[in-house]
Amino acid sequence: MPEGWKNVPENKKWLHTLFLGIDANFWLKRKDVSSDALDPDLGNGFAYFVQDQPYKEHLEKYKNEVEPKSNCSRHDAVNLANSKPSQGHAATGVGTIECIRHDMKRPCSVGDLQVGERYFVPKFHLPAHVVGCRTSYSFNYGLGVGRTDGEAPERGWAEVDPLAASTKEMGPGSRRDTLDSHFGDYNWRKTIGMGRSLLRKFNVATTDMADHVIAHMELTASLPQDLVSKWTAEIEAWEKNPKEAKTNPLESNVETPSQAAVCRELAQTEAQEAGTTSETSLDNHVSPSVLITCGLDIESEQRSLKAEAAKIWEHSQDRQHTRLQLRCNALQRKITAWSKVQQLYVAGVVTLRNMEETAAAAQKTPLKPYMLSLWLPSQIGSKITFDINLANIEWKLRYAQAFEALEALRSNLQVRSHLYKFKDRFIRGQHANTRARGAIETVQARIQAAADEYRAAYKALNSLSTLLGEASWRTQLLPLDPADIRKMSEADNDHMSEGRRKVSWIWKTLGVINERTDSDQLRDALRIEWCKSRARSMRFSEEVELLTEEMHRVLRYCSYREQWWKAKTQFGTEDLASIRREGLQACAERQAALWAALRDNFSWLWRGVPAALNNLQTYLSTFAPVASRSDHTSVSV
C-alpha cells in the first residue's frame, strides 16, 4: 500500500478497497472414505484450506439453522438445490473466498461443505431478482467498483473442475493437499501474467472510457439544465444510501396497465351509467365489460387446451385422452353459455358462426372447442355491424393484456436463465437431471404461453386500431419475433457486455402513466437513460483509476517481496552447516531475483501507461465546451 493510504480523501478511499467474493463448487465432492487420522494433510491451515477441526466445530454450532427463503424473488432453482445428493459423501463441495478483481484464492479461504449447500449456496445473479435488487445491488451502478463484474469465482472453477473425478475418491488429507497445490499454481500463473492482463484491461478501459464519457457529456448538454440538476441530486442521494433514498432514479415511475384495473374502471363507468340514457347493458347479470372479459378468459382457456392437445399422440394413455376430453367438454359448455349472451349484444354473430360451421363441414374437419372462433370485436372487424363501445372495451383490456403478457414473459425468461446456469453447474446424476429438466420444461411452457398471449393481444390491437383509429400504441408494443424472446443479458452476440450489447425490445418497453402526458413518459425514459449513461461514464473512469493504482500496487509488492527474500539470506542461518546455509541463501537469492525480474518486466510492459493517460486527458479536454454542461466530467487519471 502507498504511504498515507489511510488518509486519502473520502472520495478516493475506494481506490484501496479489497474486493472479495464468495462462491461454492459442488463438483468437488469427496466420498466418505478414509479419515483425518489415516490420511492427514501435510499443511493443515498453512495454505488455502482452513484448519479442519476449528472449522468443523464452527459448523456444528449452526447445523440446525434453516436457510431463510428469499423475500425478493421466487426461484424454481432454489428447489433444485435439494436435488444434489449428499448420501455417501463426507463433503458435498467446497466454498471459497477470493479476490474478485483478479480471480485469486485468498490464504485460508477454502472450506469443505460439510452440512449440505445451505452454508454456501451463492446468491442468484441479479437478473433473476426484482427490479429493485437489479439496480440496488448491481456492479453497474455501485460507486467505486469500476468495471468489476463479481464473476471471478465462477471463472476460477474451470481450472479445478477436471480434478473432481479423482479428488472425490481421495482421503481428506490427500484431497486438501492436492487442491491446495492446484490453487497455488493457479495463483502463481495469475501473478506472473499480471503484466499483460492489467495492460490489456487498461487499453480496453481507456478506449471505452473516452467513448462513454464523451457520450454522457453530449447527452447531458442536450438536456435542460434544471432537469440535469434535479436528476443529479436524485441519483447522488440514491448512490449514498439506496435504502433511505425517496426514489430510485434508475427505476421507471410509469405504471403498466393491468386487466384487473381496467375491469374495475369499466365497472365503475357502468355503475355511473346505470339507469341513465347512456346505459348499454342488455342483460341484468352480464354487462358489456363482463361479456368481453369473459370472452378473453375463454380465449385463454382455448390456448391452454390447444397446447395440451398438441402433446397427445396415438400412443398416449387413456387417462390422458380422458383428461383432455373432459376439459374440452367443460370448455364447450362455457362457450355455449357465453355465446347466448353475446347474441344479445351482437345479433349478427349467429351468421358468422353458421358460416364457420358450414365451412368446417364442407372440409369434413371437426371443430374442437379450442378451435372455435369467439367472434370478439377484434375478430369481427368490418364483417358485420356492432356497437363500437364493445370494441373500445376490448381495446382497453387487450392493451393491458399485452403488458401483462410481456411482464410474465420477462419474469419467466429470468427464471429459465438461472435454472440453466444452476443445472449446468451443480446438477449431476440421472435423478437430479430429470427433476431439473422437468422444472425447466415447466418454465418453458409458461414462456410459450406468455408469448402466445402477447401475440393474441397484439393481433387484436392491430385489428381494433383500424376500427378505432388508434396509432400511438405501436411505439411501445412491437411484433414479437422468436428472436426477441431472450434473456435480458443475452444479445445478438452472447459475448457482448452491458456497455456494448443490444437488448431485446421486450426489456425496454415502458408502461403507460394514468392521466399523464406523452412528454412525462419521455422525461421518465430520458431520466433512466441519463442515469445509466452517467453510471457507464463513471464506471469506466473508475476502472482506469483502479487499474492505474493496481499497476503501482503490483510494482510495490514485487519490490517488497524482493527485499523480503533478501532479508532471508542471513536470517536464522548462522548455526547451520555451511552447505545447508549456502543452499538456503541461494534459494532466497533466487526468489529475490525472480521478484525483481517480474517487477522489471512489468515496468517495461507498462512503460507507455503514463503517456496514454496524458493523451486521454488531453483528448477529453477538447470537449470542454460540452463538458461545461455535464455533471460528471472531471476524470482523474
Side-chain angles (χ1 to χ4, degrees):
M1 302 299 289
E3 292 291 335
W5 67 272
K6 294 183 179 180
N7 301 319
V8 298
E10 190 69 28
N11 65 342
K12 291 298 179 182
K13 286 186 176 180
W14 56 270
L15 283 170
H16 308 295
T17 299
L18 178 61
F19 293 83
L20 297 179
I22 182 170
D23 195 25
N25 186 328
F26 301 109
W27 280 31
L28 296 176
K29 298 180 176 66
R30 186 181 75 81
K31 291 183 178 179
D32 192 5
V33 296
S34 190
S35 65
D36 288 300
L38 296 174
D39 184 28
D41 47 3
L42 299 178
N44 191 359
F46 290 174
Y48 300 98
F49 269 91
V50 296
Q51 278 189 294
D52 190 57
Q53 191 59 35
Y55 175 63
K56 289 181 178 178
E57 292 173 358
H58 175 77
L59 290 183
E60 185 68 21
K61 298 177 183 178
Y62 303 97
K63 67 178 182 180
N64 295 322
E65 277 197 4
V66 178
E67 180 71 12
K69 292 184 178 180
S70 170
N71 58 5
C72 163
S73 185
R74 178 175 173 268
H75 299 295
D76 287 340
V78 172
N79 298 327
L80 293 180
N82 297 321
S83 68
K84 296 186 295 296
S86 59
Q87 296 85 354
H89 290 86
T92 56
V94 298
T96 67
I97 297 174
E98 53 192 281
C99 172
I100 60 174
R101 282 288 298 177
H102 309 105
D103 184 18
M104 300 177 77
K105 299 290 187 293
R106 303 273 299 170
C108 292
S109 65
V110 182
D112 280 329
L113 302 184
Q114 301 283 344
V115 197
E117 294 77 21
R118 60 182 168 213
Y119 293 103
F120 288 98
V121 170
K123 301 298 181 183
F124 289 104
H125 305 300
L126 289 174
H129 288 257
V130 296
V131 175
C133 288
R134 294 204 296 266
T135 54
S136 298
Y137 301 103
S138 172
F139 277 105
N140 288 320
Y141 310 123
L143 289 176
V145 299
R147 290 285 292 169
T148 306
D149 61 9
E151 296 289 351
E154 304 282 355
R155 292 188 285 269
W157 292 130
E159 289 284 330
V160 294
D161 282 346
L163 302 175
S166 56
T167 56
K168 72 178 181 180
E169 306 287 349
M170 295 179 179
S174 299
R175 174 174 171 273
R176 286 194 290 266
D177 288 341
T178 300
L179 292 177
D180 274 340
S181 297
H182 280 82
F183 291 150
D185 175 69
Y186 182 70
N187 276 6
W188 178 244
R189 284 185 283 122
K190 284 283 185 178
T191 299
I192 61 178
M194 197 72 74
R196 295 191 182 280
S197 66
L198 288 183
L199 181 61
R200 183 185 67 254
K201 293 177 181 178
F202 177 83
N203 290 335
V204 172
T206 51
T207 301
D208 288 342
M209 172 191 165
D211 293 340
H212 289 287
V213 168
I214 292 170
H216 180 65
M217 291 178 182
E218 293 174 342
L219 176 60
T220 301
S222 67
L223 298 170
Q225 185 61 40
D226 58 334
L227 278 183
V228 172
S229 300
K230 180 175 180 291
W231 294 344
T232 301
E234 290 177 355
I235 192 65
E236 288 180 349
W238 180 82
E239 288 172 337
K240 186 176 181 181
N241 194 330
K243 293 184 178 179
E244 295 184 3
K246 295 181 180 179
T247 60
N248 183 346
L250 290 161
E251 293 180 8
S252 175
N253 293 330
V254 298
E255 299 174 2
T256 55
S258 68
Q259 294 182 76
V262 172
C263 288
R264 179 182 178 184
E265 179 186 340
L266 292 172
Q268 290 173 343
T269 301
E270 290 171 348
Q272 294 171 359
E273 294 176 348
T276 68
T277 57
S278 301
E279 184 176 7
T280 57
S281 295
L282 301 177
D283 186 275
N284 293 332
H285 302 288
V286 182
S287 65
S289 64
V290 173
L291 176 73
I292 301 300
T293 302
C294 290
L296 295 186
D297 290 340
I298 292 174
E299 183 186 72
S300 179
E301 286 191 50
Q302 285 182 310
R303 285 194 298 270
S304 175
L305 192 55
K306 184 178 180 180
E308 183 174 338
K311 300 176 184 177
I312 299 296
W313 63 310
E314 57 180 341
H315 297 297
S316 294
Q317 298 178 353
D318 288 341
R319 64 172 177 269
Q320 293 175 292
H321 286 282
T322 301
R323 184 169 58 246
L324 177 64
Q325 188 60 55
L326 289 174
R327 287 193 63 187
C328 286
N329 296 344
L331 180 58
Q332 182 64 65
R333 288 192 290 270
K334 287 184 181 180
I335 294 175
T336 301
W338 180 79
S339 298
K340 290 179 181 178
V341 180
Q342 184 190 29
Q343 292 173 24
L344 294 175
Y345 292 93
V346 188
V349 77
V350 176
T351 303
L352 296 177
R353 284 206 171 85
N354 290 335
M355 292 171 60
E356 183 180 33
E357 292 172 0
T358 302
Q363 297 178 1
K364 297 181 180 181
T365 304
L367 279 176
K368 301 291 186 180
Y370 51 82
M371 298 167 59
L372 292 173
S373 298
L374 298 179
W375 298 113
L376 290 161
S378 57
Q379 295 171 303
I380 295 174
S382 59
K383 292 181 176 68
I384 58 174
T385 58
F386 62 93
D387 186 358
I388 199 66
N389 180 53
L390 295 175
N392 279 313
I393 292 173
E394 186 183 0
W395 170 270
K396 293 177 181 179
L397 289 168
R398 292 289 193 181
Y399 194 60
Q401 182 187 37
F403 281 99
E404 285 186 348
L406 282 178
E407 180 58 31
L409 183 62
R410 290 189 289 257
S411 176
N412 284 292
L413 281 171
Q414 294 162 8
V415 174
R416 185 187 68 177
S417 169
H418 290 276
L419 281 175
Y420 274 126
K421 290 180 181 178
F422 193 92
K423 177 180 177 295
D424 291 343
R425 285 192 58 200
F426 303 133
I427 302 301
R428 294 295 177 272
Q430 183 176 357
H431 177 67
N433 268 286
T434 300
R435 289 186 58 189
R437 283 196 300 270
I440 292 173
E441 288 171 0
T442 299
V443 175
Q444 182 59 46
R446 293 202 293 261
I447 290 172
Q448 188 59 51
D452 291 342
E453 184 178 11
Y454 175 82
R455 290 181 177 123
Y458 183 88
K459 181 179 179 181
L461 289 171
N462 195 41
S463 174
L464 291 169
S465 63
T466 304
L467 291 174
L468 303 175
E470 296 282 354
S472 59
W473 66 281
R474 297 182 187 277
T475 61
Q476 291 182 313
L477 300 175
L478 304 175
L480 184 64
D481 296 326
D484 298 324
I485 304 175
R486 60 178 188 264
K487 61 185 180 181
M488 181 167 57
S489 57
E490 184 179 344
D492 296 335
N493 183 343
D494 287 338
H495 301 291
M496 287 186 177
S497 64
E498 164 65 22
R500 302 175 181 85
R501 62 185 170 82
K502 190 174 182 180
V503 182
S504 172
W505 71 265
I506 65 174
W507 299 100
K508 299 186 288 186
T509 296
L510 296 175
V512 296
I513 304 175
N514 296 330
E515 300 178 358
R516 290 178 64 181
T517 64
D518 290 341
S519 61
D520 292 323
Q521 295 182 45
L522 177 60
R523 186 176 294 116
D524 191 81
L526 283 174
R527 186 197 71 248
I528 295 173
E529 181 55 37
W530 180 86
C531 289
K532 290 184 176 181
S533 170
R534 175 182 180 274
R536 289 191 291 268
S537 170
M538 294 178 70
R539 296 298 84 77
F540 277 106
S541 300
E542 292 165 355
E543 180 70 5
V544 172
E545 291 189 75
L546 271 174
L547 289 170
T548 304
E549 173 57 31
E550 286 169 354
M551 289 178 180
H552 289 305
R553 190 179 303 152
V554 167
L555 295 178
R556 290 194 298 268
Y557 181 74
C558 289
S559 295
Y560 160 76
R561 293 293 290 177
E562 178 193 11
Q563 297 304 317
W564 188 86
W565 277 108
K566 284 184 176 180
K568 293 293 183 182
T569 58
Q570 300 300 327
F571 181 75
T573 62
E574 294 82 0
D575 299 330
L576 297 177
S578 175
I579 188 170
R580 187 177 181 188
R581 181 169 62 249
E582 289 178 359
L584 291 175
Q585 290 175 342
C587 178
E589 290 285 359
R590 180 179 181 277
Q591 289 293 327
L594 187 152
W595 284 101
L598 277 179
R599 181 197 59 218
D600 294 342
N601 177 254
F602 293 164
S603 297
W604 183 83
L605 287 173
W606 301 337
R607 65 192 184 282
V609 168
L613 291 174
N614 289 331
N615 293 337
L616 177 62
Q617 193 67 52
T618 301
Y619 178 67
L620 292 176
S621 66
T622 61
F623 291 85
V626 175
S628 65
R629 294 288 309 281
S630 175
D631 81 304
H632 181 73
T633 57
S634 178
V635 181
S636 174
V637 294

